[in-house]
Amino acid sequence: MRFALDAEQREFGRVLDRMLGAADTPAAVRAWAGGDHGPGRVLWERLADAGVFGLAVAEKWGGAGLLPVETAVAFTELGRHCVPGPVVETVAGAVLLGRLAERGEPGPAERWLPAVAAGRARLSLALPVAGPYALDADVADAVLAVTGTELRLAPGCGSVRRSLDPARRPARPRAGGPVLARGRAVREAAAEAARWAAFATAAQALGAGRALLARSVEHARRRVQFGVPIGTFQAVKHRLADTLVALEFAEPLLHGAAVELGAGGAGTGVAAAKLACCEAAYAAGRTALQVHGALGYTAEYDLSLWLGKARALRSAWGGPEECRRRILDQEEHRPRLFHE
Amino acid sequence: MDLDLTPAEAAFRSRARAWLAAHLPPTPLAPPETAEGFAAHRAWERTLYEGGWSAVTWPREYGGRGASLLEWLLFEEEYHTAGAPARVSQNGVQLLAPTLLEHGTPEQRARLLPPMARGETVWAQAWSEPEAGSDLASLRSSARRTDGGWLLKGHKTWCSRAAFADRAFGLFRSHPGAGRPHEGLTYALFPLRADGVRVRPVARLDGRPVFAEVFLDGVFVPDADVVGEPGQGWRVAMSTAGSERGLTLRSPGRFTAAARRLVALWRASTGPDGGTALRDRVADAVVRARAYQLYGYAQATGAGADGGGGAGGSGGTAAASLAKVFWSELDLALHETALDLLGPSGELADGPWAEGCVLALAGPVYAGTNEIQRDVIAERLLGLPKGRRR
């Protein structure tokens, strides 16, 4: 057993962190939220150049094959830097189309996956398990909608709703549209795509939680009250320490889920990772808000971008209730979490 | 990145499982908090030793098995799944031994470790004093220089297992003129059954004498039983504390086994709501036990693995504080959920969940309170400014 990132995977994370750290992602988020997708598209292309959108695309379409561990690394950085757009949906959509191609339906994969891997196409995705909305459906190059055993290319979407995360723009795909595939393969591919979506969302949440903690620690070191930095106070310290504990113990679950996905597992590990990463990130948000005080409650301060994301990701692609149900359902039939 | 056991690791797990199946006591031993039960547990330590399982990570020359940290984690999973007896040698095997391997002399290792592995010498720890708990460095028990050694004097308390153990390790003020409170302390090994020593068992919450007070009045410690340099005991003690807080004192196997039992208990509980009450807490406990298991695998096989073995892999004592907060709270969550599932029977003291709950209640307090751990995490891992504890 070697349950750890290798040097190359760690370096991949550092490269993305540096690149995104220099890219003023908060400005891109604010522009995206306001309907200006230009800066977001530029960011998207740079991520594609770094290989991010090829991590769930087979080599024959310009990707790197299915690499869940690298996906965990990349999406942690995307979350840490609050990258806007349907990043999760694009990766999960790519898994859906790739899986269909393996099952004898290569048309949709040939049509979109090369552009996805190159960063030129964004996918939006609506699956029955995840509710009625598709993210950024108005700007996606394809809105994939699964109902039962049918995959359709949705003909646009209804009005865009506001999310608690300004970077997320949910909309209902319109019914109808051309059928891209049908049959049992669609159902199976959709289940796999849902697992990848929950997994990538968990990684994003972990990164967002890390960013929230880092910003809070910085603030606690600088902000002076009663003549000393507030980080001197035990009440503040302990809250930040608990936040770190939760994040540190969520990360192994995310990596465990990556291993499970790579082995074609049933998704218990993904559910555990989704639950733990999103709970830890949301708790980090609550801590951040408390440590920043009223400053953190303002929309103009960039902290708000991460606070909104931590709340929204909790509900996306399987909320805590759904995750807990999956964990116990599968434990009943055969304990899978504690393999031995 | 993988979670696959190599053939050698899988074989190690199988050997542990088979040995436990063949040697486990057919009926549970009497509790170790009685003279009879302690003797039975000491005999079990001997049985473990004869099978080569009493100190699996130690070097073979001292009676260990020379196993890796990962193999130890696998052994612990098997041990707790099998429901094997509590380890009365734990303070020695998991706390003092790593300290001796890091700070002891070759003579000390050769003399002290083999009888520890065989269960012949059972060790207790003697840190706290009535006026020195979380603020351990304010301790006042003294070591006074005498011909060929030191004379210990003072009052130690909350000494786990001291009621029945043979010897103890502790910290004593040997150089009272030293500057800071952390300076001038000496790490000494002393007998619990000797002239000048009085042991008064102390009952914990459930009435069992799990720990004891120790009164020392001129007990002699030869120079050979000082660990590290006289006056430099704090550094040595922090190495012990790293072992106490980290992975190695409370291994993940303990919690994964408890989580599986909790799921079974939940399935068997059919309340008016068809067993849905407490479901979230059961699921969360399962997830947290899995998180600790995976954390252990990462510590044991990752980049920082085998960093001395003291703090359970890498990261030293500060990282061990993360684990201590996590496992102590997880232990409580597991047992409290189980007692709530048991309904009116949850108050009965003689079941395994109630006994486990009493032990779990001490978790956030012993080995450095969780408040001290959070200070360590905040100051040393997050870089927050040091401040008064207020």
Side-chain angles (χ1 to χ4, degrees), chain A residues 204-263:
Chain A
Q204 238 189 337
L206 182 70
R210 294 266 187 208
L212 284 160
L213 175 60
R215 285 174 160 260
S216 304
V217 167
E218 269 316 294
H219 184 75
R221 284 154 61 108
R222 280 198 319 269
R223 170 75 171 168
V224 172
Q225 290 288 277
F226 305 103
V228 290
I230 60 169
T232 317
F233 304 136
Q234 223 174 13
V236 174
K237 272 183 184 161
H238 287 192
R239 194 149 183 176
L240 292 167
D242 281 335
T243 305
L244 180 64
V245 169
L247 292 165
E248 287 289 316
F249 284 88
E251 187 169 282
L253 288 168
L254 180 69
H255 291 161
V259 171
E260 181 198 75
L261 271 187

Side-chain angles (χ1 to χ4, degrees), chain B residues 68-89:
Chain B
S68 69
L69 189 54
L70 176 65
E71 288 171 328
W72 178 76
L73 292 173
L74 300 177
F75 168 72
E76 285 281 306
E77 287 180 15
E78 294 302 323
Y79 194 86
H80 290 284
T81 299
R87 299 289 308 273
V88 290
S89 282

Side-chain angles (χ1 to χ4, degrees), chain B residues 56-68:
Chain B
V56 293
T57 57
W58 291 13
R60 286 179 182 276
E61 60 182 305
Y62 302 123
R65 199 180 190 92
S68 69

Side-chain angles (χ1 to χ4, degrees), chain B:
Chain B
M1 177 174 304
D2 68 83
L3 286 165
D4 304 325
L5 298 185
T6 63
E9 288 158 358
F12 182 93
R13 186 198 275 286
S14 301
R15 275 198 300 279
R17 184 177 295 184
W19 186 89
L20 285 163
H23 293 85
L24 213 60
T27 54
L29 306 181
E33 299 86 21
T34 58
E36 177 211 352
F38 198 88
H41 281 77
R42 191 196 286 269
W44 168 245
E45 292 292 330
R46 176 78 195 192
T47 306
L48 280 169
Y49 169 77
E50 282 162 2
W53 299 105
S54 73
V56 293
T57 57
W58 291 13
R60 286 179 182 276
E61 60 182 305
Y62 302 123
R65 199 180 190 92
S68 69
L69 189 54
L70 176 65
E71 288 171 328
W72 178 76
L73 292 173
L74 300 177
F75 168 72
E76 285 281 306
E77 287 180 15
E78 294 302 323
Y79 194 86
H80 290 284
T81 299
R87 299 289 308 273
V88 290
S89 282
Q90 183 164 46
N91 286 341
V93 170
Q94 299 293 5
L95 303 184
L96 178 58
T99 306
L100 289 174
L101 290 169
E102 191 178 345
H103 297 281
T105 64
E107 184 279 327
Q108 286 173 329
R109 292 174 204 158
R111 175 166 53 90
L112 300 169
L113 293 178
M116 191 191 297
R118 294 191 295 264
E120 290 163 17
T121 314
V122 174
W123 291 81
Q125 66 170 338
W127 297 129
S128 295
E129 298 177 6
E131 304 298 329
S134 290
D135 184 12
L136 179 63
S138 70
L139 64 89
R140 295 192 290 213
S141 291
S142 63
R144 191 164 55 79
R145 190 69 194 147
T146 188
D147 198 21
W150 302 81
L151 291 173
L152 306 184
K153 191 173 171 58
H155 180 182
K156 293 287 184 182
T157 191
W158 321 133
C159 305
S160 298
R161 299 194 177 85
F164 302 102
D166 307 297
R167 304 192 72 193
F169 49 95
L171 266 188
F172 297 87
R173 192 161 299 286
S174 53
H175 299 70
R180 295 167 61 237
H182 304 74
E183 294 166 12
L185 300 174
T186 290
Y187 194 114
L189 312 177
F190 61 94
L192 284 166
R193 319 279 160 227
D195 286 347
V197 184
R198 187 164 67 86
V199 176
R200 187 184 78 86
V202 177
R204 72 173 175 195
L205 272 184
D206 63 356
R208 291 185 180 170
V210 170
F211 42 28
E213 288 186 289
V214 177
F215 300 90
L216 301 161
D217 187 9
V219 62
F220 177 71
V221 170
D223 286 330
D225 281 348
V226 168
V227 183
E229 290 297 310
Q232 303 294 316
W234 185 260
R235 204 168 64 86
V236 183
M238 285 305 100
S239 149
T240 307
S243 303
E244 185 176 21
R245 293 167 186 173
L247 203 56
T248 45
L249 185 77
R250 295 282 180 254
S251 74
R254 177 189 190 92
F255 305 104
T256 50
R260 270 198 304 266
R261 288 196 289 271
L262 182 67
V263 171
L265 178 66
W266 175 65
R267 293 283 172 215
S269 316
T270 48
D273 48 17
T276 57
L278 304 176
R279 197 207 61 169
D280 288 3
R281 285 165 62 191
V282 173
D284 288 352
V286 167
V287 168
R288 288 160 72 188
R290 173 63 167 167
Y292 190 37
Q293 183 185 42
L294 291 173
Y295 173 88
Y297 293 158
Q299 292 280 305
T301 66
D306 303 325
S314 64
T317 54
S321 293
L322 289 169
K324 202 264 164 167
V325 170
F326 190 79
W327 64 246
S328 59
E329 292 187 346
L330 167 58
D331 204 18
L332 268 175
L334 284 160
H335 288 88
E336 286 172 340
T337 304
L339 292 189
D340 288 345
L341 279 167
L342 287 169
S345 307
E347 72 167 288
L348 302 179
D350 53 359
W353 287 112
E355 287 175 11
C357 192
V358 171
L359 182 61
L361 282 168
V365 175
Y366 64 66
T369 64
N370 283 9
E371 285 66 31
I372 293 293
Q373 311 301 341
R374 290 184 175 102
D375 281 350
V376 171
I377 292 166
E379 290 169 10
R380 295 184 40 205
L381 297 177
L382 293 175
L384 288 162
K386 277 190 181 287
R388 289 185 43 203
R389 317 280 180 212
R390 57 182 170 182

